[in-house]
């Protein structure tokens, strides 16, 4: 079990978020098809990876210590 990933790269987490949001949307009268939920999870996973990369780059640029 050497494969370690951050929480925001987990499709299980994003699937849960989408399920919660879909339930809330359903309470408001909006219907989200199961196929659309899968697409939303994939999109959120890709978006979170991009945001994570940007944060890593920003962290390196704003760091006060040099790398060796």
């Amino acid at each position: 079990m050497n494969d370690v990933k951050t929480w925001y790269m987990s499709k299980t987490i994003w699937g849960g978020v989408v399920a919660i949001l879909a339930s809330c949307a359903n309470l408001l009268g909006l219907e989200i098809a199961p196929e659309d939920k899968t697409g939303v999870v994939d999109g959120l996973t890709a978006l979170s990876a991009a945001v994570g990369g940007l944060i890593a780059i920003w962290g390196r640029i704003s760091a006060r210590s040099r790398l060796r």
Side-chain angles (χ1 to χ4, degrees):
M1 200 160 133
N2 290 336
D3 295 337
V4 178
K5 61 183 173 183
T6 56
W7 68 269
Y8 58 82
M9 292 299 297
S10 171
K11 286 191 177 188
T12 303
I13 296 294
W14 288 115
V17 169
V18 169
I20 292 168
L21 293 176
S23 295
C24 292
N26 194 16
L27 289 172
L28 296 173
L30 301 172
E31 186 69 35
I32 300 175
E35 308 84 50
D36 294 336
K37 290 177 188 177
T38 301
V40 170
V41 169
D42 290 342
L44 287 173
T45 303
L47 179 63
S48 67
V51 169
L54 289 171
I55 290 171
I57 291 170
W58 173 77
R60 182 64 256 163
I61 291 171
S62 65
R64 298 176 190 230
S65 302
R66 292 184 344 175
L67 294 177
R68 293 185 188 252

